[in-house]
Amino acid sequence: MIVSRSLNWRQVLFYSWKSMLYFFALSVLVYVLHHEFDMSSLSVPFNAVAVLGTALAIFLGFKNNSAYDRWWEARKIWGLLVNYSRAWGREVLTLSLDESHSDNPELKTWQRQLVYRHIAFVHSLRVFLRKRHEYNEIGEQWIQTTNDYDDIRPFLPCEEANDVLAKNNPPNYLLMIQGRELQEAYQRGWLSDYRFVQLNNTLTEFNNHQGKSERIKNTPFPRAYSYYSRIFVYLHGTLVPFAFIEDLGMFNIPLAMVINFIFLSLDQIGERTEDPFENRPGDTPLTSISVTIEGNLKEMLDEKNLPAKQPPIGGVVL
C-alpha cells in the first residue's frame, strides 16, 4: 500500500518507460515525416481523437472504480481479521478456565498454543493469498517482500508445522486443528457449553475471512476490461500525434507525451488495483497487518519480544 503523498518518479518510470518510449518514438517519427519529408496529408482530424479520448476516459473511470472496489473490500476483510484476532486472544485467555485448579500450568500452555497457532494462521493466510496463479504472472516489481511459509514455523511445534505445510491449504488446516483443540478443552472441562460455542463461532469468522479473500483472489477482474482498456489506450495514443501535427509542429511531441502519459497512468492504476493480493507496492498491506496482529496477541500474553513494525520502504507499506 502506497502511503507517501508523492510518488517516486523512478517508480513511475519503472512501470511506464517502455510504453512512453513507444509514444515518444512515434511522435518524433510523425514530426519528421510531416515536416522533413513534407507528408502534409499525414494527419487525423482533431475531433475524431477528441471523441475517442472522451469515450476512453469514461471507460477507464468505470474500470478504475470497479478495481478500487475490489481493493477496498480486501482491506475491509483484513481490517475485520484484526478485530476478530484480538477477540480470539481475549476469549482464549478469559473464557477457558480450570475450576479445580486456578493456576493450571497445562491450561496456560494450551492457551498460549492456541494464540500462537492463530498467529501462524494469519501469516500462512498472507502467504497463501500471495501465491500467484499461472494466469496472473505480473513480472518484476519495484518493491517486493518475501513470501514464504517458513514464517509460520516459530509459532508451531516442528512436527505440526511440517504436517501443516504438507497440506494444499495450510491456513484452513490450522483452523481445523484449532477446532480439535477446542473440542478437547471442552471434554476436559476447561470450556463450558456456551464458551465452547462462542470460541467456535469466532473460528467460523476466520473461515469467512479466508473465504472472502479467496473469492477475490480466485475471481479475476473481467479480462475484457483489462484487455480492451490497454488496446484503446494504445490506439488513442497512436492517433494523438497525428491530431496536432498541423498546428503545433515540434511542440506536438511534448503535448502528445503528456496526453498519453495521463491515459496510460489511468490504465495502469486500475491494472495494479484490481488484484489486491499479488505482493505489489499498491496492494493490501498483508505483511504489515499480519505483524500488527502478531504484536497485539503477544502483548495479550504479556510477552516482551514484540515484532518491530516495519517502516515504509520508499513510501510503500507491504
Side-chain angles (χ1 to χ4, degrees), residues 192-209:
S192 65
D193 292 345
Y194 169 76
R195 292 170 178 172
F196 172 77
V197 171
Q198 179 61 36
L199 282 164
N200 206 51
N201 286 340
T202 305
L203 273 185
T204 301
E205 288 298 329
F206 297 142
N207 277 123
N208 292 336
H209 296 143

Side-chain angles (χ1 to χ4, degrees), residues 36-288:
E36 300 299 328
F37 292 91
D38 199 26
M39 294 185 179
S40 57
S41 61
L42 198 66
S43 63
V44 174
F46 169 77
N47 290 340
V49 178
V51 171
L52 179 59
T54 302
L56 180 59
I58 296 173
F59 184 83
L60 291 176
F62 176 79
K63 171 193 170 183
N64 287 0
N65 283 338
S66 301
Y68 179 77
D69 284 343
R70 287 166 60 89
W71 186 93
W72 182 237
E73 183 183 4
R75 184 59 186 89
K76 289 192 292 184
I77 292 169
W78 275 73
L80 277 176
L81 181 59
V82 174
N83 298 346
Y84 275 98
S85 296
R86 293 166 179 165
W88 172 257
R90 186 189 70 249
E91 290 169 357
V92 167
L93 296 175
T94 59
L95 296 184
S96 58
L97 53 91
D98 186 353
E99 296 180 354
S100 62
H101 194 323
S102 59
D103 193 22
N104 187 340
E106 190 176 1
L107 174 60
K108 291 186 178 298
T109 299
W110 177 84
Q111 291 173 332
R112 184 178 183 276
Q113 286 178 344
L114 257 68
V115 172
Y116 263 52
R117 191 178 291 111
H118 180 70
I119 297 174
F121 163 77
V122 173
H123 283 296
S124 67
L125 181 58
R126 163 178 60 84
V127 176
F128 183 73
L129 292 173
R130 282 178 167 173
K131 294 292 184 180
R132 292 173 184 158
H133 297 305
E134 293 183 359
Y135 58 76
N136 211 26
E137 288 295 331
I138 54 178
E140 187 180 358
Q141 296 299 305
W142 174 257
I143 299 174
Q144 183 169 295
T145 188
T146 57
N147 192 54
D148 198 321
Y149 277 122
D150 284 340
D151 291 345
I152 75 172
R153 290 189 178 278
F155 308 104
L156 299 173
C158 182
E159 184 177 348
E160 182 179 313
N162 292 333
D163 187 31
V164 168
L165 295 183
K167 306 300 180 183
N168 291 328
N169 194 326
N172 182 62
Y173 191 70
L174 282 169
L175 293 180
M176 173 60 72
I177 297 175
Q178 296 282 65
R180 292 172 181 167
E181 290 288 337
L182 292 182
Q183 184 180 31
E184 182 180 344
Y186 172 72
Q187 292 171 349
R188 299 179 68 171
W190 293 347
L191 294 174
S192 65
D193 292 345
Y194 169 76
R195 292 170 178 172
F196 172 77
V197 171
Q198 179 61 36
L199 282 164
N200 206 51
N201 286 340
T202 305
L203 273 185
T204 301
E205 288 298 329
F206 297 142
N207 277 123
N208 292 336
H209 296 143
Q210 180 177 351
K212 291 175 182 178
S213 298
E214 288 177 344
R215 183 189 70 225
I216 297 174
K217 174 71 177 183
N218 297 329
T219 307
F221 193 73
R223 293 312 189 196
Y225 290 125
S226 300
Y227 176 75
Y228 283 115
S229 68
R230 190 178 309 113
I231 295 297
F232 294 160
V233 165
Y234 276 92
L235 175 61
H236 176 266
T238 300
L239 294 178
V240 164
F242 296 94
F244 301 98
I245 191 63
E246 288 282 356
D247 299 325
L248 298 181
M250 182 173 290
F251 290 104
N252 177 56
I253 298 175
L255 178 63
M257 293 294 290
V258 170
I259 295 174
N260 287 331
F261 177 75
I262 292 174
F263 282 100
L264 179 66
S265 298
L266 288 174
D267 182 50
Q268 292 193 345
I269 288 171
E271 182 180 341
R272 282 162 177 76
T273 307
E274 64 191 35
D275 295 311
F277 297 130
E278 301 303 313
N279 201 15
R280 297 175 297 187
D283 289 353
T284 303
L286 304 189
T287 300
S288 176

